């Protein structure tokens, strides 16, 4: 979208350590670019507020603006998608002990996915069990370590929701190392439907998020702002439940 509209696209990626060292600011800003598309927590609230007060074109992707600021944002329907997934595990497969692997601290996608998880439990009279919640951080290795700790500690599991597809991959690795079969012993599900999800063994049940569409929508909103027009204050893109064998379906 940006290239088609005649704009050059600059991408800046940094580690959490580097962002902390540079105080949440970026080498890209109002002095050298026409606008910024900000992904999750790549800028602090203070830096976003400073740019917004200057009238600099901003669009947020996978996060909402700081309180009191009307900055366009593009997000997924995380809560409803997760609730559909957890209810499928409960209704279709009789799962009641469902482990939840949260994303990184402060991540909004994880926040809404956890609300969807909890709402599904409430709707089916299943008490929330804190021992079934761990932080997988949307990271395969950390998710594997957390699920392995559950298994070593004797935590009973019917299913694991990995938080995202990487987390689900780590969960499957931990279960296999412990001699548990997926899905015969423990069902596993993810979120995003990244390309490798359908190629996994077993193929991964997940929630399809329109990742490419989100980027296109965010770029379109930003271009509109740069060109002096208006953008939608909030764009919530729908998600879709994708059933494969890792949950126990044929």
């Amino acid at each position: 979208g940006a290239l088609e509209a005649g704009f050059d696209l600059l991408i800046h990626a940094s580690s959490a350590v580097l962002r902390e060292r540079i105080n949440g600011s970026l080498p890209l800003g109002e002095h050298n670019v026409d606008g910024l598309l900000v992904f999750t927590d790549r800028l602090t609230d203070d830096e976003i507020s400073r740019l917004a007060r200057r009238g600099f074109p901003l669009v947020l992707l996978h996060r909402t603006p700081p309180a009191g600021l009307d900055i366009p944002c593009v997000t997924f329907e995380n809560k409803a998608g997760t609730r559909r997934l957890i209810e499928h595990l409960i209704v279709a497969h009789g799962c009641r002990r469902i482990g939840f692997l949260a994303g990184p601290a402060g991540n909004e996608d994880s926040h809404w996915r956890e609300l969807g998880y909890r709402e599904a439990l409430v709707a089916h009279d299943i008490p929330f069990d804190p021992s079934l919640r761990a932080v997988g951080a949307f990271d395969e290795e950390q998710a594997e370590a957390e699920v392995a700790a559950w298994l070593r500690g004797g935590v009973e599991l019917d299913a694991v929701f990995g938080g995202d597809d990487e987390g689900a991959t780590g969960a499957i690795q931990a279960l296999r190392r412990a001699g548990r079969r997926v899905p015969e012993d423990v069902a596993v599900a993810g979120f995003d439907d990244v390309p490798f999800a359908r190629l996994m063994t077993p193929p991964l049940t997940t929630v399809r998020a329109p990742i490419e569409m989100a980027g296109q929508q965010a770029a379109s909103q930003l271009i509109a702002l740069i060109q002096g027009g208006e953008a939608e204050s909030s764009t919530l893109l729908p998600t879709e439940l994708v059933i494969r064998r890792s949950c126990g379906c044929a």
Side-chain angles (χ1 to χ4, degrees):
L3 298 178
E4 292 171 358
F7 289 92
D8 292 325
L9 183 63
L10 302 177
I11 300 174
H12 176 80
S14 63
S15 68
V17 172
L18 177 59
R19 289 199 300 276
E20 184 175 333
R21 189 164 70 237
I22 63 177
N23 226 6
S25 61
L26 293 177
L28 306 179
E30 67 268 40
H31 301 299
N32 53 15
V33 296
D34 295 311
L36 281 177
L37 177 57
V38 182
F39 184 81
T40 59
D41 61 350
R42 292 317 192 258
L43 282 184
T44 64
D45 284 1
D46 287 345
E47 182 69 3
I48 289 172
S49 298
R50 184 188 71 79
L51 292 169
R53 286 194 298 269
R54 294 175 65 93
F56 187 70
L58 291 171
V59 174
L60 309 181
L61 185 57
H62 305 311
R63 63 159 294 171
T64 53
L69 292 178
D70 185 19
I71 302 172
C73 63
V74 179
T75 59
F76 297 140
E77 183 47 274
N78 288 288
K79 185 174 75 167
T82 301
R83 177 166 175 167
R84 285 193 296 269
L85 174 62
I86 301 303
E87 290 193 328
H88 174 77
L89 294 173
I90 295 168
V91 175
H93 301 290
C95 298
R96 295 185 67 84
R97 302 277 301 170
I98 304 172
F100 173 76
L101 294 174
N107 182 280
E108 287 193 27
D109 284 345
S110 177
H111 167 75
W112 290 109
R113 289 173 197 178
E114 182 163 355
L115 287 181
Y117 166 81
R118 290 181 182 239
E119 283 188 2
L121 297 182
V122 169
H124 294 274
D125 298 318
I126 300 174
F128 171 73
D129 184 346
S131 71
L132 292 176
R133 183 193 187 278
V135 178
F138 298 162
D139 177 83
E140 181 178 338
E141 290 186 5
Q142 185 163 335
E144 181 176 350
E146 294 294 345
V147 174
W150 275 338
L151 298 173
R152 286 195 305 271
V155 174
E156 294 182 14
L157 293 166
D158 297 325
V160 175
F161 171 48
D164 74 344
D165 291 346
E166 279 206 36
T169 302
I172 290 173
Q173 294 297 333
L175 289 163
R176 282 185 175 150
R177 291 179 189 278
R180 305 290 183 90
R181 298 170 301 166
V182 178
E184 291 83 359
D185 299 324
V186 181
V188 175
F191 198 111
D192 286 333
D193 195 26
V194 296
F196 69 75
R198 65 184 178 84
L199 303 175
M200 291 173 60
T201 304
L204 185 65
T205 291
T206 186
V207 177
R208 179 174 296 146
I211 297 171
E212 184 175 340
M213 183 185 299
Q216 292 171 343
Q217 289 280 340
S220 295
Q221 304 283 1
L222 183 58
I223 290 166
L225 288 177
I226 292 171
Q227 294 176 338
E230 295 184 356
E232 297 289 334
S233 61
S234 178
T235 303
L236 189 64
L237 299 176
T239 53
E240 175 189 356
L241 181 60
V242 179
I243 302 298
R244 299 192 180 102
R245 203 169 68 81
S246 71
C247 66
C249 288

